[in-house]
């Protein structure tokens, strides 16, 4: 039986052929026309297009609004926006690919691929298209799960209209690519929402998620998390094996390249420094009792009183690792710093959990904090003035960051602000974003879905576990940063939407709806 569009079965094709067949059988046939007849083909195509636009009208309007906002950003800020330090690093490594001990280079590979275009604006446009594509993928998954078009559209609004999402897409940073790759992989894994992925869907999903780890190493925990979610499904071992094997290909290949230059197998040599920063703010050597060669890594009372955030502390010249080690990203230094951090976590688990909970609390707070520093947080706002590049300093092995930007974009002005378009985005960002408490509610709805979603619990679990991992792991391994919250938002929205779809399906089955049998009329239960 054909149900209404909101609850269309996955087995039904998307061309409306089932409905056409029903009309032919009932005598309500389309206008007669010979095969290939232009006169008969055009009305049918027009009807199908009209039906398609009518079915997805809510989302198409919302998508058009998202496109308009992003185009305004492109007009107001030709080229890209710059994040001091990281943007310079990624661009420098794109011009001179070379494995770095501090960051993975998956994003730099994309920049290198686009370098022949000699256009920073092209980079921004591609990243905005990725952001829009994430919203499209969420919408398609929710429609396949049975959520009505208007409701699926509402779920995508934080991705389409959050001003901080749009600003992050315009930054020369890895988050837009990172989020897009994960969304594409999750879409493949959830495309068969009720039966689970086949091995041939899990295979490309693994490749996408594996490459996402090379874009941002913080994505590494997603591989085992998603693998567990796949194995929890009945007969999910084939998909799990295909996913795990495919994810290993880009990661192992990168590790081999890293070893050929840096002399050790890994993605970076910097995880120890970030973990040290995470634990140094509460570490007490009297409780940890570290070996002598690690004793100097505890903060002095004077430095502790400064109250530096971990994400800022690790860059301070007076921080113990920068005093003790000539370089904090050698294999030896990385091992010592990681060992110290693990000792601190084991000796002071309560303090560690409190710092992580504090970071998660910031993500859900109604207030926006100048964290880790006011200068860093300001980089997530559309600026009123062009970027000022540091003179004579390079983050990627070249002469200077400014010269790298000019070389890549073939421009003498790699940072521009054009009015009135820039002013419109500045005004828009003042109050058009997803508030922290609302994000908390979205996460809570998804969490409820992992326990209560009829027939979709494992599907909701995969989306929700992805969101939680993306939110919590960077906080647990480094520090809270608003930039780390945004990639988690689409998957929290997806999990909440899937739960609503499951609830809607359960209510429809219980009470009955157009195209669905009521419980008291089901032949299997009728007297």
């Amino acid at each position: 039986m054909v149900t209404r569009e909101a609850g269309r079965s996955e087995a039904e094709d998307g061309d409306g052929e089932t409905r056409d067949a029903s009309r032919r059988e009932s005598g309500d046939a389309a206008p007669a026309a010979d095969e290939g007849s232009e006169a008969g083909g055009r009305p049918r195509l027009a009807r199908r297009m009209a039906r398609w636009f009518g079915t997805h009208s809510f989302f198409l309007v919302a998508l058009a609004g998202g496109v308009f906002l992003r185009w305004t950003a492109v007009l107001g800020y030709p080229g890209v926006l710059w994040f001091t330090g990281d943007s310079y690093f990624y661009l420098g490594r794109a011009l001179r690919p070379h494995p770095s001990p501090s960051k993975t280079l998956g994003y730099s590979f994309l920049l290198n691929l686009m370098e022949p275009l000699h256009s920073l604006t092209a980079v921004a446009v591609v990243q905005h298209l990725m952001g829009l594509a994430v919203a499209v993928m969420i919408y398609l998954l929710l429609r396949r799960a049975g959520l009505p078009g208007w409701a699926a559209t509402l779920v995508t609004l934080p991705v389409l209209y959050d001003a901080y999402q749009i600003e992050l897409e315009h930054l020369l940073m890895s988050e837009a690519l990172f989020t897009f790759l994960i969304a594409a992989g999750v879409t493949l894994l959830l495309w068969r929402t009720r039966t689970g992925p086949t091995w041939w869907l899990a295979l490309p999903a693994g490749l996408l998620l594996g490459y996402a780890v090379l874009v941002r190493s913080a994505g590494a925990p997603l591989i085992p998390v998603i693998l567990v979610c796949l194995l929890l499904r009945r007969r999910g071992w084939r998909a799990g094996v295909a996913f795990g094997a495919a994810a290993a290909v880009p990661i192992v290949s990168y590790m081999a390249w890293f070893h050929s230059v840096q002399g050790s197998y890994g993605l970076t040599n910097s995880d120890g420094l970030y973990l040290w920063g995470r634990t140094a703010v509460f570490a007490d050597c009297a409780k940890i009792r570290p070996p002598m060669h690690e004793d100097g890594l505890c903060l002095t009372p004077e430095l502790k009183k400064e109250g530096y955030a971990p994400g800022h502390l690790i860059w301070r010249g007076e921080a113990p690792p920068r005093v003790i080690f000539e370089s904090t990203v050698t294999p030896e230094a990385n091992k010592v710093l990681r060992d110290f951090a693990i000792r601190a976590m084991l000796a002071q688990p309560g303090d560690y959990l409190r710092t992580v909970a504090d970071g998660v609390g910031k993500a859900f707070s109604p207030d926006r904090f100048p964290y880790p520093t006011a200068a860093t947080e300001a980089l997530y706002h559309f600026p009123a003035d062009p970027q000022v590049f540091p003179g004579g300093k390079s983050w990627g092995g070249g002469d200077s960051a400014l010269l790298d930007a000019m070389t890549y974009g073939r421009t003498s002005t790699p940072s521009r602000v054009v009015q009135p378009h820039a002013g419109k985005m500045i005004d828009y960002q003042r109050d058009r974003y997803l508030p922290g408490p609302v994000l908390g509610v979205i996460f809570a709805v998804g969490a409820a879905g992992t326990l209560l979603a009829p027939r979709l619990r494992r599907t909701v679990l995969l989306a929700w576990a992805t969101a939680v991992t993306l939110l919590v792991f960077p906080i647990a391994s480094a520090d809270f940063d608003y930039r780390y919250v945004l990639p988690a938002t689409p998957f929290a929205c997806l999990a909440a939407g899937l739960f609503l779809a499951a609830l809607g399906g359960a209510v429809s089955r219980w009470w009955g709806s157009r195209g669905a049998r009521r419980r008291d009329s089901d032949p299997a239960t009728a007297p």
Side-chain angles (χ1 to χ4, degrees):
M1 181 175 294
V2 180
T3 64
R4 58 182 169 182
E5 171 62 25
R8 182 188 297 174
S9 166
E10 290 179 26
E12 181 180 339
D13 70 75
D15 293 333
E17 293 179 2
T18 303
R19 289 190 293 274
D20 290 342
S22 299
R23 282 197 298 270
R24 287 194 295 271
E25 291 173 1
S26 64
D28 185 17
D34 294 332
E35 185 175 352
S37 169
E38 185 175 352
R42 284 182 178 178
R44 172 181 286 185
L45 178 62
R47 285 196 301 271
R48 288 183 176 179
M49 290 182 65
R51 186 163 56 244
W52 186 86
F53 278 104
T55 299
H56 304 293
S57 56
F58 287 105
F59 180 70
L60 292 174
V61 171
L63 184 66
V67 171
F68 174 77
L69 288 171
R70 286 159 174 81
W71 183 244
T72 303
V74 171
L75 295 176
Y77 302 94
V80 294
L81 295 176
W82 301 87
F83 189 93
T84 304
D86 287 17
S87 295
Y88 310 150
F89 169 86
Y90 287 126
L91 193 62
R93 293 289 176 169
L95 294 171
R96 293 168 293 276
H98 185 80
S100 167
S102 60
K103 292 182 187 297
T104 50
L105 302 186
Y107 179 58
S108 292
F109 295 158
L110 173 67
L111 296 179
N112 179 268
L113 185 66
M114 296 184 64
E115 195 268 338
L117 298 177
H118 302 307
S119 173
L120 292 167
T121 298
V123 174
V125 169
V126 167
Q127 293 184 174
H128 284 309
L129 290 174
M130 290 178 181
L132 294 169
V134 170
V136 171
M137 287 184 275
I138 293 173
Y139 176 79
L140 291 176
L141 286 174
L142 294 179
R143 294 310 309 274
R144 287 181 66 82
L147 202 63
W150 64 268
T153 300
L154 285 177
V155 174
T156 66
L157 294 184
V159 180
L160 289 172
Y161 287 93
D162 188 305
Y164 289 100
Q165 287 276 6
I166 298 171
E167 198 272 351
L168 188 60
E169 292 168 14
H170 211 74
L171 279 168
L172 193 77
M173 292 291 283
S174 62
E175 275 69 25
L177 175 60
F178 180 66
T179 308
F180 171 78
L181 290 170
I182 297 172
V186 168
T187 298
L188 290 172
L189 293 174
L190 299 184
W191 194 247
R192 298 161 61 93
T193 54
R194 301 188 187 279
T195 60
T198 59
W199 69 266
W200 46 267
L201 284 174
L203 194 71
L207 290 172
L208 290 166
L209 269 294
Y211 189 77
V213 174
L214 306 187
V215 175
R216 270 194 62 201
S217 57
L222 281 177
I223 305 302
V225 167
I226 291 178
L227 183 58
V228 169
C229 291
L230 293 176
L231 294 176
L232 287 175
R233 286 185 176 274
R234 187 174 60 179
R235 296 189 298 274
W237 68 269
R238 289 186 180 88
V241 170
F243 174 82
V249 171
I251 295 173
V252 172
S253 299
Y254 189 92
M255 292 174 67
W257 182 49
F258 186 87
H259 174 265
S260 68
V261 176
Q262 301 294 339
S264 60
Y265 288 100
L267 298 176
T268 69
N269 286 330
S270 60
D271 58 290
L273 178 64
Y274 289 102
L275 275 174
W276 173 85
R278 173 74 283 174
T279 59
V281 293
F282 65 79
D284 184 346
C285 276
K287 297 178 180 179
I288 301 172
R289 298 180 181 177
M292 187 176 298
H293 67 283
E294 295 179 8
D295 191 59
L297 292 173
C298 280
L299 297 182
T300 62
E302 294 76 19
L303 196 53
K304 257 189 179 178
K305 285 181 182 178
E306 293 293 337
Y308 294 128
H312 178 61
L313 174 64
I314 60 175
W315 307 112
R316 302 286 303 184
E318 66 270 31
R322 300 200 175 274
V323 174
I324 295 172
F325 301 108
E326 182 177 349
S327 171
T328 59
V329 291
T330 63
E332 296 75 23
N334 193 47
K335 182 176 181 300
V336 171
L337 292 170
R338 188 193 304 120
D339 183 71
F340 175 88
I342 293 173
R343 290 176 187 274
M345 293 176 197
L346 295 176
Q348 299 175 255
D351 293 326
Y352 173 65
L353 291 176
R354 274 191 292 273
T355 61
V356 175
D358 179 69
V360 175
K362 285 184 173 66
F364 300 146
S365 172
D367 301 315
R368 192 171 176 96
F369 304 95
Y371 193 93
T373 67
T376 298
E377 198 277 331
L379 294 172
Y380 305 135
H381 295 255
F382 286 104
D385 302 302
Q387 176 81 359
V388 177
F389 289 81
K393 185 176 182 181
S394 172
W395 277 254
D399 293 328
S400 70
L402 177 59
L403 184 60
D404 283 347
M406 293 170 63
T407 300
Y408 187 93
R410 293 295 194 272
T411 177
S412 59
T413 54
S415 178
R416 296 169 56 201
V417 175
V418 178
Q419 299 296 351
H421 310 292
K424 291 178 181 178
M425 295 309 300
I426 293 172
D427 292 339
Y428 180 82
Q429 194 171 18
R430 289 195 176 101
D431 54 9
R432 269 76 166 191
Y433 58 89
L434 187 68
V438 178
L439 179 63
V441 171
I442 292 172
F443 266 89
V445 171
T450 63
L451 302 174
L452 304 174
R455 301 199 302 174
L456 285 179
R457 278 193 294 271
R458 290 182 177 86
T459 301
V460 176
L461 176 62
L462 192 148
W464 187 77
T466 299
V468 171
T469 303
L470 291 174
L471 175 67
V472 175
F473 181 75
I475 297 173
S477 61
D479 194 7
F480 169 81
D481 193 302
Y482 287 104
R483 176 164 52 97
Y484 302 155
V485 177
L486 293 174
T489 301
F491 305 100
C493 292
L494 175 60
L498 289 169
F499 180 33
L500 296 178
L503 289 180
V507 171
S508 176
R509 287 190 299 274
W510 180 267
W511 292 104
S513 60
R514 187 180 68 182
R517 288 174 177 162
R518 294 181 181 274
R519 288 170 58 89
D520 59 1
S521 64
D522 193 327
T525 58

